[in-house]
Amino acid sequence: MGYRVATGTRSYLFSDLKELMAKATPPRSGDRLAGLAAGSMEEMMAARMALADLPLRTFLHEALIPYEADEVTRLIIDGHDAAAFGPVASLTVGAFRDWLCSEAATTEILAKLAPGITPEMAAAVSKLMRNQDLILVARKCSVVTRFRNTLGLAGRMAVRIQPNHPTDDAAGILASTIDGLSYGCGDAVIGINPASDSTARIAELLRLLDDVIARFDIPTQACILTHVTSSISLIEQGAPVDLVFQSVAGTQAANASFGVTLALLQEGLEAGRSQKRGTVGDNVMYFETGQGAALSANAHHGVDQQTIEARAYAVCRAYQPLLVNTVVGFIGPEYLYDGKQIIRAGLEDHFCGKLMGVPMGCDICYTNHAEADQDDMDTLLTLLGTAGVNFIMGVPGADDVMLNYQSTSFHDQLYIREVLGLRRAPEFEDWLLRMDITDAVGRLSAGQGGQALLAAMQDRAA
């Protein structure tokens, strides 16, 4: 068995579907590091030619990672919705790409199709698409979720306030949070990456954020990005846990490196929902992912990193999350070498997740040793805003002083809102107007709302 393609100069043989997918992938340093990348542009194009002629049904019968050996594969196959898949079941990957880009693929039709699309199908078709195709189709995909506000509505984009502090200092975290709210950020979540693993300290941070939300009656949610077992333990102790967080990947072995199983994620979902802290919905999970995570754990099974990343979205999809965040450039240049690779990966991740019905956001970011800069991040922000991304990050000064990487700032979201007319979550938008932080059209107000937040912070610190 294999896939053979003849070009003008030679014939290429791809031994199996796994090799075909890897060789069809746009260039990236992670696949080269793993020894999976095409050896030339001609080989890459030959693989894409073979992939374009492949029936979509193939992915239901030829698993890239054996069913018996991997619970993520079992989740994908056992959870596949054959009825939803029906309208495109007769298509090849290439014909699927053409159909997705056509006017026939409407928002309503794509929403019904999502449960029938496996991550391998999404990854395969993305490999045949230009950046503009990824943007065009993702923009048509609508994934709406709810907890204390409504996220993912058309023409709207939310922002996570990320008020990290290298020592989890309450005053520093509170200052960053108030700063972000004053810029009109925070409708996605106020989410802290804690420096400490202590559940007692995490409980203090949860109470800090809960106090801010309650004091100002903010229609948003808080999250401490700790391990799911810690969240479950904190819920049992009565701590004010809004969202249950976990980093996940696309293979059982990679998830094991994070200390999680699918059963544990289900336990986290049930624990989160038992709190009944949502006011407009019960999407209580927050997941983060990133291309290269499985390879860095030597848990990729010889599958290219973008396909493994898409498989992570199948894990996320199973637990009805409020937010899924691809932290696209965080793992480093070993996996995404430069701005061009980071931009392509961000568009791929967003497209694949949205096509599968996942509420995708993106941490538009890079590490300081990558061949990238803030101009690259401006480009990706603009492209993802055009593509309808559900949320982005808001980091003080775009420089995370605890995680030591570069992201997007509180003021960056003002740029993309102005250029594209993107609004905030409706409940949060109304709150900002009531607080005199923004005006009726969503621009920052000249009023005293931000000063009122600052005064309240100073009162609490005193």
mmCIF file of all heavy atoms in Angstrom, residues 95-134:
data_model
loop_
_atom_site.group_PDB
_atom_site.id
_atom_site.type_symbol
_atom_site.label_atom_id
_atom_site.label_comp_id
_atom_site.label_asym_id
_atom_site.label_seq_id
_atom_site.Cartn_x
_atom_site.Cartn_y
_atom_site.Cartn_z
ATOM 1 N N ALA A 95 -11.717 18.339 -3.327
ATOM 2 C CA ALA A 95 -13.080 18.809 -3.586
ATOM 3 C C ALA A 95 -13.683 19.434 -2.334
ATOM 4 O O ALA A 95 -14.470 20.395 -2.406
ATOM 5 C CB ALA A 95 -13.941 17.646 -4.070
ATOM 6 N N PHE A 96 -13.314 18.923 -1.177
ATOM 7 C CA PHE A 96 -13.778 19.492 0.095
ATOM 8 C C PHE A 96 -13.254 20.916 0.242
ATOM 9 O O PHE A 96 -13.997 21.823 0.651
ATOM 10 C CB PHE A 96 -13.304 18.607 1.244
ATOM 11 C CG PHE A 96 -13.810 19.009 2.606
ATOM 12 C CD1 PHE A 96 -15.130 19.394 2.806
ATOM 13 C CD2 PHE A 96 -12.950 18.973 3.703
ATOM 14 C CE1 PHE A 96 -15.593 19.751 4.072
ATOM 15 C CE2 PHE A 96 -13.409 19.322 4.968
ATOM 16 C CZ PHE A 96 -14.719 19.716 5.149
ATOM 17 N N ARG A 97 -12.001 21.121 -0.118
ATOM 18 C CA ARG A 97 -11.437 22.461 -0.073
ATOM 19 C C ARG A 97 -12.214 23.412 -0.976
ATOM 20 O O ARG A 97 -12.560 24.535 -0.576
ATOM 21 C CB ARG A 97 -9.952 22.408 -0.464
ATOM 22 C CG ARG A 97 -9.264 23.770 -0.521
ATOM 23 C CD ARG A 97 -9.177 24.266 -1.957
ATOM 24 N NE ARG A 97 -8.670 25.630 -2.017
ATOM 25 C CZ ARG A 97 -8.937 26.473 -2.996
ATOM 26 N NH1 ARG A 97 -9.708 26.105 -4.009
ATOM 27 N NH2 ARG A 97 -8.443 27.696 -2.981
ATOM 28 N N ASP A 98 -12.505 22.972 -2.184
ATOM 29 C CA ASP A 98 -13.240 23.822 -3.120
ATOM 30 C C ASP A 98 -14.634 24.145 -2.589
ATOM 31 O O ASP A 98 -15.110 25.284 -2.703
ATOM 32 C CB ASP A 98 -13.348 23.134 -4.481
ATOM 33 C CG ASP A 98 -12.000 22.989 -5.166
ATOM 34 O OD1 ASP A 98 -11.040 23.680 -4.770
ATOM 35 O OD2 ASP A 98 -11.894 22.164 -6.096
ATOM 36 N N TRP A 99 -15.286 23.143 -2.005
ATOM 37 C CA TRP A 99 -16.639 23.350 -1.469
ATOM 38 C C TRP A 99 -16.614 24.312 -0.284
ATOM 39 O O TRP A 99 -17.472 25.208 -0.180
ATOM 40 C CB TRP A 99 -17.241 22.015 -1.049
ATOM 41 C CG TRP A 99 -18.606 22.146 -0.454
ATOM 42 C CD1 TRP A 99 -19.789 22.280 -1.113
ATOM 43 C CD2 TRP A 99 -18.922 22.191 0.958
ATOM 44 N NE1 TRP A 99 -20.826 22.399 -0.208
ATOM 45 C CE2 TRP A 99 -20.318 22.349 1.057
ATOM 46 C CE3 TRP A 99 -18.159 22.100 2.113
ATOM 47 C CZ2 TRP A 99 -20.965 22.416 2.290
ATOM 48 C CZ3 TRP A 99 -18.795 22.182 3.350
ATOM 49 C CH2 TRP A 99 -20.180 22.335 3.426
ATOM 50 N N LEU A 100 -15.635 24.164 0.604
ATOM 51 C CA LEU A 100 -15.544 25.052 1.763
ATOM 52 C C LEU A 100 -15.391 26.502 1.344
ATOM 53 O O LEU A 100 -15.940 27.413 1.982
ATOM 54 C CB LEU A 100 -14.365 24.647 2.649
ATOM 55 C CG LEU A 100 -14.514 23.385 3.484
ATOM 56 C CD1 LEU A 100 -13.177 23.018 4.135
ATOM 57 C CD2 LEU A 100 -15.584 23.547 4.553
ATOM 58 N N CYS A 101 -14.656 26.738 0.269
ATOM 59 C CA CYS A 101 -14.409 28.107 -0.198
ATOM 60 C C CYS A 101 -15.574 28.668 -1.021
ATOM 61 O O CYS A 101 -15.575 29.856 -1.351
ATOM 62 C CB CYS A 101 -13.131 28.157 -1.019
ATOM 63 S SG CYS A 101 -11.619 27.877 -0.057
ATOM 64 N N SER A 102 -16.543 27.826 -1.329
ATOM 65 C CA SER A 102 -17.656 28.257 -2.169
ATOM 66 C C SER A 102 -18.771 28.892 -1.336
ATOM 67 O O SER A 102 -18.809 28.751 -0.108
ATOM 68 C CB SER A 102 -18.225 27.069 -2.948
ATOM 69 O OG SER A 102 -19.000 26.240 -2.099
ATOM 70 N N GLU A 103 -19.690 29.538 -2.028
ATOM 71 C CA GLU A 103 -20.825 30.145 -1.337
ATOM 72 C C GLU A 103 -21.792 29.102 -0.790
ATOM 73 O O GLU A 103 -22.630 29.412 0.062
ATOM 74 C CB GLU A 103 -21.556 31.085 -2.293
ATOM 75 C CG GLU A 103 -20.728 32.302 -2.695
ATOM 76 C CD GLU A 103 -21.486 33.238 -3.620
ATOM 77 O OE1 GLU A 103 -22.655 32.944 -3.950
ATOM 78 O OE2 GLU A 103 -20.916 34.279 -4.012
ATOM 79 N N ALA A 104 -21.663 27.863 -1.248
ATOM 80 C CA ALA A 104 -22.543 26.802 -0.747
ATOM 81 C C ALA A 104 -22.272 26.483 0.715
ATOM 82 O O ALA A 104 -23.179 26.038 1.437
ATOM 83 C CB ALA A 104 -22.371 25.536 -1.594
ATOM 84 N N ALA A 105 -21.054 26.699 1.163
ATOM 85 C CA ALA A 105 -20.691 26.418 2.552
ATOM 86 C C ALA A 105 -21.010 27.639 3.405
ATOM 87 O O ALA A 105 -20.168 28.501 3.646
ATOM 88 C CB ALA A 105 -19.215 26.052 2.653
ATOM 89 N N THR A 106 -22.243 27.719 3.870
ATOM 90 C CA THR A 106 -22.688 28.851 4.668
ATOM 91 C C THR A 106 -22.404 28.615 6.144
ATOM 92 O O THR A 106 -22.062 27.506 6.566
ATOM 93 C CB THR A 106 -24.193 29.071 4.492
ATOM 94 O OG1 THR A 106 -24.890 27.920 5.017
ATOM 95 C CG2 THR A 106 -24.555 29.252 3.029
ATOM 96 N N THR A 107 -22.576 29.647 6.926
ATOM 97 C CA THR A 107 -22.363 29.536 8.373
ATOM 98 C C THR A 107 -23.253 28.460 8.970
ATOM 99 O O THR A 107 -22.802 27.651 9.794
ATOM 100 C CB THR A 107 -22.638 30.890 9.042
ATOM 101 O OG1 THR A 107 -21.687 31.856 8.562
ATOM 102 C CG2 THR A 107 -22.541 30.792 10.554
ATOM 103 N N GLU A 108 -24.505 28.438 8.563
ATOM 104 C CA GLU A 108 -25.450 27.463 9.125
ATOM 105 C C GLU A 108 -25.072 26.041 8.729
ATOM 106 O O GLU A 108 -25.107 25.110 9.559
ATOM 107 C CB GLU A 108 -26.865 27.777 8.645
ATOM 108 C CG GLU A 108 -27.433 29.097 9.152
ATOM 109 C CD GLU A 108 -26.816 30.329 8.482
ATOM 110 O OE1 GLU A 108 -26.276 30.192 7.358
ATOM 111 O OE2 GLU A 108 -26.868 31.414 9.096
ATOM 112 N N ILE A 109 -24.688 25.840 7.488
ATOM 113 C CA ILE A 109 -24.310 24.506 7.012
ATOM 114 C C ILE A 109 -23.022 24.042 7.684
ATOM 115 O O ILE A 109 -22.897 22.874 8.088
ATOM 116 C CB ILE A 109 -24.185 24.508 5.486
ATOM 117 C CG1 ILE A 109 -25.578 24.624 4.843
ATOM 118 C CG2 ILE A 109 -23.460 23.265 4.988
ATOM 119 C CD1 ILE A 109 -25.554 24.780 3.343
ATOM 120 N N LEU A 110 -22.062 24.928 7.848
ATOM 121 C CA LEU A 110 -20.808 24.561 8.489
ATOM 122 C C LEU A 110 -21.017 24.196 9.958
ATOM 123 O O LEU A 110 -20.339 23.301 10.486
ATOM 124 C CB LEU A 110 -19.800 25.695 8.367
ATOM 125 C CG LEU A 110 -19.248 25.933 6.958
ATOM 126 C CD1 LEU A 110 -18.417 27.202 6.907
ATOM 127 C CD2 LEU A 110 -18.417 24.743 6.491
ATOM 128 N N ALA A 111 -21.948 24.845 10.625
ATOM 129 C CA ALA A 111 -22.237 24.504 12.021
ATOM 130 C C ALA A 111 -22.796 23.091 12.131
ATOM 131 O O ALA A 111 -22.448 22.332 13.055
ATOM 132 C CB ALA A 111 -23.211 25.511 12.624
ATOM 133 N N LYS A 112 -23.660 22.711 11.202
ATOM 134 C CA LYS A 112 -24.218 21.356 11.213
ATOM 135 C C LYS A 112 -23.174 20.313 10.839
ATOM 136 O O LYS A 112 -23.227 19.172 11.299
ATOM 137 C CB LYS A 112 -25.400 21.286 10.247
ATOM 138 C CG LYS A 112 -26.594 22.127 10.670
ATOM 139 C CD LYS A 112 -27.706 22.070 9.626
ATOM 140 C CE LYS A 112 -28.894 22.930 10.033
ATOM 141 N NZ LYS A 112 -29.956 22.938 8.995
ATOM 142 N N LEU A 113 -22.209 20.714 10.011
ATOM 143 C CA LEU A 113 -21.177 19.796 9.544
ATOM 144 C C LEU A 113 -20.132 19.488 10.610
ATOM 145 O O LEU A 113 -19.554 18.391 10.627
ATOM 146 C CB LEU A 113 -20.479 20.418 8.322
ATOM 147 C CG LEU A 113 -19.324 19.641 7.697
ATOM 148 C CD1 LEU A 113 -19.817 18.341 7.069
ATOM 149 C CD2 LEU A 113 -18.603 20.508 6.667
ATOM 150 N N ALA A 114 -19.890 20.416 11.524
ATOM 151 C CA ALA A 114 -18.758 20.337 12.447
ATOM 152 C C ALA A 114 -18.627 18.997 13.178
ATOM 153 O O ALA A 114 -17.512 18.450 13.258
ATOM 154 C CB ALA A 114 -18.822 21.485 13.451
ATOM 155 N N PRO A 115 -19.693 18.404 13.716
ATOM 156 C CA PRO A 115 -19.515 17.136 14.433
ATOM 157 C C PRO A 115 -19.067 15.988 13.535
ATOM 158 O O PRO A 115 -18.588 14.959 14.040
ATOM 159 C CB PRO A 115 -20.917 16.855 15.006
ATOM 160 C CG PRO A 115 -21.612 18.165 15.005
ATOM 161 C CD PRO A 115 -21.082 18.897 13.815
ATOM 162 N N GLY A 116 -19.207 16.151 12.230
ATOM 163 C CA GLY A 116 -18.812 15.107 11.302
ATOM 164 C C GLY A 116 -17.391 15.224 10.790
ATOM 165 O O GLY A 116 -16.922 14.363 10.033
ATOM 166 N N ILE A 117 -16.696 16.284 11.179
ATOM 167 C CA ILE A 117 -15.336 16.514 10.704
ATOM 168 C C ILE A 117 -14.340 16.022 11.747
ATOM 169 O O ILE A 117 -14.325 16.492 12.885
ATOM 170 C CB ILE A 117 -15.102 18.008 10.409
ATOM 171 C CG1 ILE A 117 -16.073 18.493 9.338
ATOM 172 C CG2 ILE A 117 -13.665 18.253 9.974
ATOM 173 C CD1 ILE A 117 -15.994 17.729 8.035
ATOM 174 N N THR A 118 -13.510 15.073 11.357
ATOM 175 C CA THR A 118 -12.447 14.624 12.255
ATOM 176 C C THR A 118 -11.264 15.577 12.156
ATOM 177 O O THR A 118 -11.112 16.300 11.163
ATOM 178 C CB THR A 118 -11.974 13.206 11.897
ATOM 179 O OG1 THR A 118 -11.263 13.243 10.651
ATOM 180 C CG2 THR A 118 -13.140 12.234 11.795
ATOM 181 N N PRO A 119 -10.407 15.589 13.171
ATOM 182 C CA PRO A 119 -9.247 16.488 13.106
ATOM 183 C C PRO A 119 -8.326 16.188 11.932
ATOM 184 O O PRO A 119 -7.732 17.111 11.354
ATOM 185 C CB PRO A 119 -8.546 16.256 14.447
ATOM 186 C CG PRO A 119 -9.103 14.992 14.981
ATOM 187 C CD PRO A 119 -10.484 14.888 14.456
ATOM 188 N N GLU A 120 -8.211 14.922 11.558
ATOM 189 C CA GLU A 120 -7.368 14.580 10.425
ATOM 190 C C GLU A 120 -7.924 15.147 9.119
ATOM 191 O O GLU A 120 -7.168 15.576 8.253
ATOM 192 C CB GLU A 120 -7.210 13.064 10.331
ATOM 193 C CG GLU A 120 -6.387 12.447 11.443
ATOM 194 C CD GLU A 120 -7.182 12.158 12.718
ATOM 195 O OE1 GLU A 120 -8.395 12.489 12.750
ATOM 196 O OE2 GLU A 120 -6.602 11.619 13.672
ATOM 197 N N MET A 121 -9.251 15.150 8.989
ATOM 198 C CA MET A 121 -9.864 15.761 7.813
ATOM 199 C C MET A 121 -9.580 17.261 7.779
ATOM 200 O O MET A 121 -9.231 17.825 6.733
ATOM 201 C CB MET A 121 -11.376 15.533 7.817
ATOM 202 C CG MET A 121 -11.827 14.112 7.648
ATOM 203 S SD MET A 121 -13.635 14.012 7.820
ATOM 204 C CE MET A 121 -13.864 12.233 7.926
ATOM 205 N N ALA A 122 -9.749 17.916 8.931
ATOM 206 C CA ALA A 122 -9.514 19.357 9.004
ATOM 207 C C ALA A 122 -8.057 19.684 8.688
ATOM 208 O O ALA A 122 -7.756 20.616 7.934
ATOM 209 C CB ALA A 122 -9.897 19.872 10.385
ATOM 210 N N ALA A 123 -7.135 18.900 9.262
ATOM 211 C CA ALA A 123 -5.716 19.137 9.013
ATOM 212 C C ALA A 123 -5.379 18.911 7.547
ATOM 213 O O ALA A 123 -4.629 19.681 6.935
ATOM 214 C CB ALA A 123 -4.872 18.230 9.904
ATOM 215 N N ALA A 124 -5.942 17.848 6.965
ATOM 216 C CA ALA A 124 -5.637 17.524 5.571
ATOM 217 C C ALA A 124 -6.069 18.641 4.638
ATOM 218 O O ALA A 124 -5.299 19.078 3.769
ATOM 219 C CB ALA A 124 -6.324 16.215 5.179
ATOM 220 N N VAL A 125 -7.291 19.133 4.802
ATOM 221 C CA VAL A 125 -7.762 20.161 3.878
ATOM 222 C C VAL A 125 -7.001 21.464 4.091
ATOM 223 O O VAL A 125 -6.734 22.211 3.143
ATOM 224 C CB VAL A 125 -9.291 20.356 3.999
ATOM 225 C CG1 VAL A 125 -9.687 21.095 5.270
ATOM 226 C CG2 VAL A 125 -9.837 21.073 2.776
ATOM 227 N N SER A 126 -6.579 21.738 5.337
ATOM 228 C CA SER A 126 -5.824 22.973 5.588
ATOM 229 C C SER A 126 -4.491 22.969 4.843
ATOM 230 O O SER A 126 -3.978 24.025 4.462
ATOM 231 C CB SER A 126 -5.586 23.155 7.089
ATOM 232 O OG SER A 126 -4.572 22.296 7.579
ATOM 233 N N LYS A 127 -3.925 21.781 4.633
ATOM 234 C CA LYS A 127 -2.631 21.674 3.955
ATOM 235 C C LYS A 127 -2.725 22.046 2.476
ATOM 236 O O LYS A 127 -1.704 22.328 1.838
ATOM 237 C CB LYS A 127 -2.064 20.264 4.131
ATOM 238 C CG LYS A 127 -1.771 19.892 5.588
ATOM 239 C CD LYS A 127 -1.322 18.445 5.723
ATOM 240 C CE LYS A 127 -1.328 17.956 7.151
ATOM 241 N NZ LYS A 127 -0.445 18.698 8.063
ATOM 242 N N LEU A 128 -3.937 22.042 1.945
ATOM 243 C CA LEU A 128 -4.152 22.415 0.545
ATOM 244 C C LEU A 128 -4.547 23.884 0.389
ATOM 245 O O LEU A 128 -4.750 24.350 -0.735
ATOM 246 C CB LEU A 128 -5.249 21.547 -0.071
ATOM 247 C CG LEU A 128 -5.074 20.028 0.005
ATOM 248 C CD1 LEU A 128 -6.218 19.341 -0.714
ATOM 249 C CD2 LEU A 128 -3.729 19.594 -0.563
ATOM 250 N N MET A 129 -4.664 24.599 1.475
ATOM 251 C CA MET A 129 -5.224 25.941 1.439
ATOM 252 C C MET A 129 -4.152 27.009 1.583
ATOM 253 O O MET A 129 -3.198 26.853 2.340
ATOM 254 C CB MET A 129 -6.273 26.086 2.552
ATOM 255 C CG MET A 129 -7.410 25.075 2.439
ATOM 256 S SD MET A 129 -8.562 25.119 3.833
ATOM 257 C CE MET A 129 -9.750 26.315 3.234
ATOM 258 N N ARG A 130 -4.348 28.081 0.863
ATOM 259 C CA ARG A 130 -3.551 29.287 1.073
ATOM 260 C C ARG A 130 -4.055 30.001 2.315
ATOM 261 O O ARG A 130 -5.126 29.710 2.832
ATOM 262 C CB ARG A 130 -3.650 30.195 -0.153
ATOM 263 C CG ARG A 130 -2.959 29.635 -1.388
ATOM 264 C CD ARG A 130 -3.295 30.449 -2.625
ATOM 265 N NE ARG A 130 -2.956 31.873 -2.469
ATOM 266 C CZ ARG A 130 -3.234 32.797 -3.391
ATOM 267 N NH1 ARG A 130 -3.854 32.450 -4.508
ATOM 268 N NH2 ARG A 130 -2.887 34.060 -3.198
ATOM 269 N N ASN A 131 -3.274 30.988 2.781
ATOM 270 C CA ASN A 131 -3.698 31.735 3.967
ATOM 271 C C ASN A 131 -5.065 32.372 3.770
ATOM 272 O O ASN A 131 -5.902 32.394 4.681
ATOM 273 C CB ASN A 131 -2.655 32.803 4.309
ATOM 274 C CG ASN A 131 -1.404 32.221 4.920
ATOM 275 O OD1 ASN A 131 -1.296 31.008 5.104
ATOM 276 N ND2 ASN A 131 -0.436 33.074 5.227
ATOM 277 N N GLN A 132 -5.315 32.899 2.584
ATOM 278 C CA GLN A 132 -6.604 33.552 2.347
ATOM 279 C C GLN A 132 -7.759 32.554 2.434
ATOM 280 O O GLN A 132 -8.856 32.907 2.877
ATOM 281 C CB GLN A 132 -6.620 34.271 1.001
ATOM 282 C CG GLN A 132 -6.508 33.385 -0.215
ATOM 283 C CD GLN A 132 -6.676 34.176 -1.507
ATOM 284 O OE1 GLN A 132 -7.712 34.072 -2.172
ATOM 285 N NE2 GLN A 132 -5.671 34.967 -1.872
ATOM 286 N N ASP A 133 -7.528 31.301 2.034
ATOM 287 C CA ASP A 133 -8.568 30.282 2.152
ATOM 288 C C ASP A 133 -8.873 29.993 3.623
ATOM 289 O O ASP A 133 -10.041 29.853 4.011
ATOM 290 C CB ASP A 133 -8.136 28.981 1.466
ATOM 291 C CG ASP A 133 -7.821 29.156 -0.008
ATOM 292 O OD1 ASP A 133 -8.410 30.048 -0.640
ATOM 293 O OD2 ASP A 133 -6.978 28.394 -0.526
ATOM 294 N N LEU A 134 -7.824 29.879 4.424
ATOM 295 C CA LEU A 134 -8.003 29.619 5.854
ATOM 296 C C LEU A 134 -8.814 30.737 6.509
ATOM 297 O O LEU A 134 -9.664 30.492 7.369
ATOM 298 C CB LEU A 134 -6.644 29.492 6.536
ATOM 299 C CG LEU A 134 -5.733 28.350 6.066
ATOM 300 C CD1 LEU A 134 -4.359 28.468 6.709
ATOM 301 C CD2 LEU A 134 -6.350 26.995 6.370
#
